[in-house]
Amino acid sequence: MGILLATFAFTICAVAIALPTLTTPQDHAGQPLRKRTAPHYDPSLTGPHLDALNQSVSDSLLLALTAFNTPTSGTSFGRYFRPSDSDIVHRVFQTMIDTDLHQAIDPSTVGPPEFTDITFYDGDSPIYNECASNPGLIAFPVYQAFSPSGPDTMQVHLCPKFFTLPVPGDVSCDEAATWSTAKPAMVYQGSILLHMYLLLDTLTRRANAGDIIGDYQGAIGPWEAMMFKNNAKTKTPRENADNFHWWALEVWWMHRCGLGEFQDPPQDDGTAGGQPYLELPGQ
């Protein structure tokens, strides 16, 4: 089985512009929270795609906040992680929303400082043609290292398929109530962005995750993520991005729609072959 996102280790140049800083929210004591550290948007992102990405960044942080606020004692957490992973998993999501426990969070205005290490692009780059070569691909990252000791940065290329994915409001809770297990219909644009943040080493290092989080071969989709947790010998489930992604998705839909715990996903979980993931040949 392949991986969701192509990973490259070449050093390349990127043209980027910063998003404007948004209004600073207040905490419970009326003190201003830190203004959002915005990711960079390439000029290729304009019009409806730019609007969609702005909304999806907010949705991704709300997803991270929901995961952070969810106890790790439930069946869903145990499906994707081990009990010893609890503190690290919470630290990763806390770092992603960049907050202390006492702060009130507005996901539309708060983000981690590591967001400055991300540049979003609409489609392929002049060097990499993964979107054109793989019509079912959602997105792929390209890593850029300024120096061996300096920060890594990540270019995130959003393929046309990304913009066909739903946003949370497109799916009714009546529909969600028919789901007994995790499935592709849970995935939305913001959750794909959250998956991408998990691949950003500068963010996960600040979370003291201990291990670099990546996309491991054969560990994409809820069934495979669950099997990765059950069978991992040299890697731990907290090293695989889709284990975080699917736990966050399950608790998000449970919270949003007042649902009970989901059952274990079937082996044929619908994520192989391009819905919603494309497995890149040779990966």
Side-chain angles (χ1 to χ4, degrees):
M1 190 174 239
I3 62 172
L4 164 62
L5 307 164
T7 303
F8 303 97
F10 300 95
T11 300
I12 65 174
C13 296
V15 177
I17 56 173
L19 285 175
T21 302
L22 303 182
T23 304
T24 305
Q26 307 290 311
D27 67 11
H28 289 301
Q31 298 299 313
L33 298 181
R34 174 168 27 208
K35 293 182 179 180
R36 185 173 91 176
T37 306
H40 300 287
Y41 286 17
D42 182 76
S44 60
L45 280 155
T46 59
H49 283 191
L50 178 60
D51 293 341
L53 183 56
N54 273 321
Q55 181 60 51
S56 294
V57 169
S58 294
D59 290 342
S60 68
L61 292 174
L62 183 56
L63 177 60
L65 177 62
T66 302
F68 170 68
N69 283 328
T70 299
T72 58
S73 56
T75 301
S76 181
F77 186 85
R79 186 167 14 258
Y80 300 112
F81 295 104
R82 299 165 183 164
S84 59
D85 296 326
S86 177
D87 288 346
I88 289 177
V89 170
H90 263 147
R91 280 206 305 272
V92 168
F93 285 115
Q94 181 177 0
T95 303
M96 196 175 292
I97 56 177
D98 194 35
T99 180
D100 294 324
L101 294 175
H102 70 279
Q103 289 180 327
I105 298 305
D106 178 352
S108 68
T109 56
V110 178
E114 290 81 6
F115 266 17
T116 59
D117 298 332
I118 300 174
T119 302
F120 288 110
Y121 290 77
D122 194 344
D124 283 320
S125 74
I127 300 175
Y128 303 112
N129 297 309
E130 297 295 333
C131 298
S133 301
N134 303 281
L137 185 63
I138 297 172
F140 67 94
V142 177
Y143 297 101
Q144 176 183 13
F146 287 111
S147 71
S149 60
D152 296 331
T153 63
M154 184 169 68
Q155 299 177 358
V156 176
H157 293 266
L158 304 172
C159 298
K161 187 174 179 64
F162 174 86
F163 297 101
T164 70
L165 292 178
V167 297
D170 293 336
V171 181
S172 71
C173 286
D174 287 342
E175 178 181 347
T178 67
W179 304 336
S180 59
T181 67
K183 56 181 52 188
M186 291 180 169
V187 175
Y188 56 93
Q189 292 178 19
S191 79
I192 294 296
L193 297 189
L194 179 138
H195 187 121
M196 290 291 181
Y197 306 154
L198 291 162
L199 304 177
L200 184 62
D201 293 348
T202 53
L203 188 148
T204 54
R205 280 200 298 265
R206 185 162 69 90
N208 295 317
D211 300 295
I212 293 175
I213 299 172
D215 282 319
Y216 287 96
Q217 187 173 10
I220 292 295
W223 164 265
E224 297 292 356
M226 182 176 69
M227 289 297 98
F228 187 81
K229 173 257 180 178
N230 292 338
N231 301 328
K233 294 177 181 169
T234 60
K235 300 292 182 182
T236 64
R238 66 175 183 265
E239 292 177 78
N240 187 54
D242 233 25
N243 286 63
F244 289 84
H245 183 208
W246 281 99
W247 179 61
L249 279 170
E250 286 197 18
V251 299
W252 159 255
W253 288 107
M254 289 163 55
H255 171 80
R256 180 174 182 263
C257 295
L259 305 177
E261 294 269 11
F262 293 99
Q263 301 172 21
D264 287 351
Q267 185 169 1
D268 181 15
D269 60 22
T271 60
Q275 293 296 328
Y277 303 111
L278 178 76
E279 297 173 354
L280 299 179
Q283 298 295 328

